[in-house]
Amino acid sequence: MSGNDIVVLGRLADPYGIRGWIRLIPFGDDPLSWGSMPLWWIARDGEPWREVALKGLKVHGDGLVVALEDVADRTAAEALKGVLVGAPRAALPAAGEDEFYWADLLGLEVVNTAGERLGTVAGLIETGASDVLRVVDDDGGERLLPFVAAVVLAVDQAARQIRVEWGSDW
């Protein structure tokens, strides 16, 4: 399966315990629903995706932990730190109105209400309060825009554009 068919859902972090459980940093809402997918795809950035069976997904404290097939101990879990977790787009529920998968926002052009091009979405950052768009302009300059209704006025995936209330000199 090509990387274009995979939607990145999160990243594996530190091991949890000694039995191979791993902390999961989700890149979206409702990560507990991902537990209904028996197969996940994992890869380091830039490497090919590979299937892995999900053995468990649960809330622990203020985060999530997962158990994956063939990850039996802490050492194996440590080796997966930083690995991306994804799923084929076809396996995911359709995004609702005004909902987006992060992967669908990457590369979209960002234009303000004055018609000025601010750059393209190069990434997203989860801050807890709200997600933040990382927008890079043609000169490599970077802006961080909160992904909230007061700033993001419209997302037009067909036109590959996001319209924002944000000054070019901010």
Side-chain angles (χ1 to χ4, degrees):
M1 180 165 294
S2 78
N4 293 341
D5 298 332
I6 300 289
V7 174
V8 176
L9 300 175
R11 182 174 48 82
L12 298 176
D14 296 316
Y16 170 74
I18 60 171
R19 294 194 169 97
W21 285 80
I22 310 164
R23 295 186 190 282
L24 172 68
I25 300 170
F27 296 160
D29 296 335
D30 196 20
L32 288 176
S33 70
W34 307 340
S36 65
M37 297 183 302
L39 290 177
W40 285 13
W41 293 73
I42 62 172
R44 291 209 178 273
D45 206 7
E47 293 182 359
W49 291 92
R50 66 181 175 91
E51 282 184 28
V52 63
L54 177 67
K55 292 186 346 187
L57 169 66
K58 63 184 179 181
V59 174
H60 180 75
D62 61 353
L64 296 170
V65 293
V66 298
L68 302 174
E69 184 176 86
D70 298 329
V71 182
D73 58 31
R74 186 174 184 90
T75 302
E78 285 173 351
L80 293 177
K81 184 174 181 173
V83 167
L84 297 174
V85 173
R89 184 174 293 279
L92 298 171
E97 187 176 339
D98 292 330
E99 293 181 340
F100 308 95
Y101 286 108
W102 282 19
D104 295 335
L105 300 176
L106 295 176
L108 295 188
E109 178 183 43
V110 178
V111 177
N112 67 15
T113 54
E116 300 167 314
R117 184 180 182 284
L118 301 180
T120 58
V121 178
L124 287 103
I125 302 166
E126 186 175 21
T127 65
S130 66
D131 294 331
V132 175
L133 294 172
R134 190 168 64 85
V135 178
V136 176
D137 64 25
D138 295 332
D139 297 326
E142 183 176 274
R143 288 184 175 88
L144 299 176
L145 282 68
F147 194 72
V148 296
V151 174
V152 177
L153 304 177
V155 176
D156 186 343
Q157 289 182 288
R160 308 232 0 106
Q161 189 175 84
I162 298 175
R163 196 165 60 85
V164 297
E165 180 67 52
W166 200 265
S168 62
D169 56 347
W170 297 357

